[in-house]
Structure formats: structure tokens, C-alpha cells
Amino acid sequence: MKNFKTFLLLSFLVLITFFYACNDEFTTSEMSVDILETTLKREGTSDRLSGTLQTKNNKPIVNATIKLRGDIIAFSDSKGGFVLEENSFRLGDVLTIEHEDFVTVSKVIEKNTKLFVLMKERAKAHVINADKGAEIPVDFQGQISIPANAFNYKGEPYYGKVEIRATYIDVTDPFELRSAPGSYIAEEEDGTLYPLTSFGMIEITATIPEKNIPLDLNEGAVIDVSFPIQTENTPEQVNLYELNKETGYWDISGVLVNQGNVLRGEITSVNSSWNADDPCANALVCVRVQVVYTNGDPGCYVWATGLTYNGFSGHFTPDANGFVEFWVCPDSVFQLNACLCLCIPGGPIYTSIIDLSTVTMNPSGCTDLGVWTINN
């Protein structure tokens, strides 16, 4: 019964919007600040961890595989739930969540991570002849152009049929923002992590039809890509990143140029995700808040979404003292969210807007934002 009630609470999440009727208060306080590591890759094992996979339409995702270092460690059940057993993973490990009908997601396990994962359904499949190539639409204005004789299978040239799916993540949609294939964090070659603001993402898969066998691009072959522009403030040039599934972060690969209301560039691999992004800082920016409920904690988890940038923190469960930490863009405005709200049937989300331009940032650790009091 307890698990069923928990599932019902979680299932309200994607039915609500970002406009709510509940009142909350946000106050500052003087609290001790823990000095954090400058990297997410913390050591140590973690306790048993459960997760839930859903579509943006509140449907459970069944029979997805959860992998760690290439090995399957769990499957999602009929309610989209899964469990990672104690000592089977460490903080900093990267989970790969796969389902043939949905965009693959990589999740870095952080302190107090809540694995509530929204996954986007993959786009319509296009079957092409490998020896001829093709142009395939992406969303309403984007496109990928695949050259002839671009694929190989296990190092040998492949000339047969290819099933292509090119799925666009619209980061101006609040649900798709949270369905991104990776976190909004990039990694330098020296291991430095920094936050990103995104202008859109594309996952491109190339498989042998009806067999779901992945193909590779030939060495030197490139696919011309056009990302549709959804935001008015898109610059003339942005960085192009590829998701590194081993680290869970984005690696810079090139640039995209704004031409004719699309961002144009070249990608060099398939069965991977690509991101039109720019850094919003040269290092991660941590903020911390203590969440206090006036009528008892209803079991919410908490997250942050950018308002002046396109980014999402991931979902977290506050610790035993109500503290939760996020990585955000500096000098930005973002929205704190806590789910679920019990004051109105249907479960709205509690929210609070934070303007970091009014906050004195801690230069040596996590900036303390004080207490967020939720009148539930």
C-alpha cells in the first residue's frame, strides 16, 4: 500500500504546469556552509536507490534497461519503477537508461539523487539506402543530411538498408528540458566541469532495420546537421557537444553557425546525442537551500529550472536536515520546485523564484540561499 501511494504521488508530476496556487516563503538565514569538492565525482558507496521512468504524458516506461559500465543491473517494471541494490554503485557512477522507443538517458549519481526520469519518445523511423544517403527532417525546421556510403558494420562497409531516427529535444518545453539525454554540464579534457545553457539537442540512431543492430559512421564521414532555433536570444555561433556516456557529461566537438534560422554544423558519430550549447560559467556554481514544510514533509523531491537560461538541475531528495544542493548558472534567475503539493486536489508544485544577481556568492564553496518555507 505504501509503494502504491508513493507511485500515485509521483504520477501527478507531469500533469501540472509551472503556474501554481500554493503560497510559500523564502527567507535568508545564517547557516554553516560545507566546503564542497569542485567535482561531482565523489567517492564512497551509496545506499539502496530506487527510480521511476515516465513519459511526459505520465505513462510508465516498461522494460527499459538500466546499465552500469555496460552491464545490465536493473529493468523497469510495469509501473516504470526499478531498484538499485545497496553497494551495487558508487556516487559519481553513470547509469545508462535505454529503451528502443525512447531517447537514451545518462544519469550521474550524485548525493541525494532522486532517479525520477522523464524520457522522450524517439522520432519516426526513416529507412534509407546506405549507398545513396538521404536528407531527413528534424522537428519542424531542422534536418540531417547523410552522405552516400557513410556506414560500416564492425569495420566492414555496409551498403544495405539503414533505419534512422533523429529526435529533437526542445529545451524551451519544460518537460523536454527535463528529458535531456544528459545533465547540463560539460567537461574539459583536464576534468574541469562547467554548466551549460542549451539551444537544443538531437539524438541520432542508425541501425539495421528490424534487427536493432547499431551501425557506425565510416572514418572521415560526417553528417550535416541543422538544429531548429527555438529561442530569440540564440547567438550567431554556439558550441556543439557530444554526450560522453562514460562520464555522463558533454564533450565539446565543434561549433554550430546560425544561418537561416537554424544552427548548422557537422556531427561525426551516430547512436549518440548532440547538444547546441554555450557555457554560462567556467566552473560549476553550487547553491544550497534548506526546505522546511509547515505541516510535515509530504515526501517531495526538489529541483531547479533556469528562467534566464535553459538548464535543469536533476531531481533530488533533501537530506535528513532538509538541505538540498544544485548546480546553476551564475547571475541567473531560476525557479525552485518542490513536488508534490497537497493543498489543492491534483497536486500542484510549490515554487520559488531566485535571482542570483541579488545574492553574494560564496567563492570557496556552496552558496547558502537560506530557508525555503513551504506552507503546505
Side-chain angles (χ1 to χ4, degrees):
M1 180 62 69
K2 181 178 180 181
N3 289 337
F4 181 68
K5 289 181 179 178
T6 300
F7 172 74
L8 287 178
L9 288 175
L10 291 175
S11 67
F12 287 137
L13 175 63
V14 296
L15 295 177
I16 45 88
T17 67
F18 281 76
F19 301 93
Y20 313 100
C22 296
N23 295 321
D24 57 65
E25 297 178 1
F26 194 92
T27 59
T28 59
S29 66
E30 295 181 359
M31 296 181 290
S32 61
V33 178
D34 295 330
I35 303 303
L36 302 178
E37 297 175 330
T38 57
T39 174
L40 293 176
K41 299 173 182 177
R42 304 176 177 94
E43 297 182 355
T45 58
S46 186
D47 296 333
R48 186 173 179 268
L49 183 64
S50 62
T52 303
L53 310 179
Q54 287 189 358
T55 70
K56 64 183 291 183
N57 297 318
N58 200 34
K59 303 290 187 181
I61 298 174
V62 182
N63 292 327
T65 59
I66 293 84
K67 294 181 178 179
L68 177 61
R69 291 183 285 274
D71 296 325
I72 297 174
I73 60 172
F75 294 91
S76 61
D77 60 23
S78 60
K79 296 179 180 179
F82 63 92
V83 175
L84 306 182
E85 295 301 326
E86 185 177 359
N87 297 324
S88 67
F89 60 92
R90 301 170 67 88
L91 294 179
D93 278 345
V94 181
L95 299 179
T96 302
I97 303 170
E98 298 179 344
H99 190 289
E100 62 180 357
D101 296 326
F102 295 89
V103 172
T104 296
V105 174
S106 296
K107 285 288 184 183
V108 179
I109 299 176
E110 302 178 55
K111 183 172 61 175
N112 299 323
T113 290
K114 177 65 180 179
L115 290 172
F116 181 83
V117 182
L118 299 181
M119 300 179 73
K120 179 166 182 179
E121 189 172 359
R122 281 180 170 150
K124 173 184 175 183
H126 295 262
V127 177
I128 69 170
N129 295 313
D131 59 343
K132 295 181 179 179
E135 293 186 350
I136 295 173
V138 177
D139 203 64
F140 68 97
Q141 282 184 311
Q143 179 178 278
I144 60 172
S145 298
I146 301 172
N149 304 316
F151 297 101
N152 71 80
Y153 175 61
K154 293 185 177 181
E156 297 296 324
Y158 179 82
Y159 302 110
K161 300 286 187 180
V162 183
E163 181 177 289
I164 302 291
R165 291 177 183 259
T167 308
Y168 180 70
I169 304 291
D170 178 6
V171 294
T172 65
D173 180 312
F175 296 111
E176 294 197 17
L177 181 78
R178 292 156 58 201
S179 303
S183 63
Y184 292 79
I185 295 174
E187 184 173 23
E188 298 277 14
E189 291 184 0
D190 63 2
T192 299
L193 302 176
Y194 57 93
L196 298 171
T197 178
S198 181
F199 301 95
M201 305 177 189
I202 295 176
E203 183 204 55
I204 299 175
T205 62
T207 59
I208 298 175
E210 299 180 357
K211 297 181 180 180
N212 200 31
I213 297 175
L215 298 168
D216 295 312
L217 277 184
N218 291 326
E219 185 176 355
V222 297
I223 295 176
D224 292 327
V225 61
S226 298
F227 285 72
I229 291 179
Q230 306 280 28
T231 58
E232 295 180 358
N233 61 341
T234 303
E236 292 302 308
Q237 181 174 298
V238 303
N239 288 339
L240 176 63
Y241 294 85
E242 182 179 11
L243 183 63
N244 186 326
K245 293 180 181 179
E246 293 184 2
T247 66
Y249 304 124
W250 299 92
D251 294 337
I252 193 165
S253 177
V255 297
L256 297 165
V257 178
N258 189 340
Q259 295 178 344
N261 207 38
V262 294
L263 290 168
R264 301 181 186 276
E266 296 180 339
I267 68 171
T268 55
S269 71
V270 289
N271 300 307
S272 58
S273 292
W274 295 81
N275 192 356
D277 261 65
D278 267 343
C280 62
N282 56 13
L284 291 178
V285 177
C286 175
V287 295
R288 181 173 85 159
V289 63
Q290 185 180 28
V291 183
V292 175
Y293 296 92
T294 57
N295 290 297
D297 184 355
C300 296
Y301 43 90
V302 185
W303 70 95
T305 51
L307 297 180
T308 57
Y309 66 97
N310 295 316
F312 161 63
S313 66
H315 298 105
F316 297 91
T317 302
D319 66 19
N321 295 313
F323 291 104
V324 64
E325 299 170 358
F326 305 103
W327 305 105
V328 296
C329 289
D331 299 320
S332 65
V333 180
F334 63 89
Q335 181 170 275
L336 287 174
N337 308 270
C339 173
L340 292 161
C341 164
L342 304 179
C343 64
I344 295 177
I349 296 174
Y350 296 104
T351 66
S352 183
I353 294 176
I354 307 298
D355 184 351
L356 286 184
S357 68
T358 66
V359 176
T360 300
M361 303 299 291
N362 183 347
S364 59
C366 205
T367 296
D368 195 343
L369 298 179
V371 179
W372 180 21
T373 301
I374 297 178
N375 297 316
N376 61 328

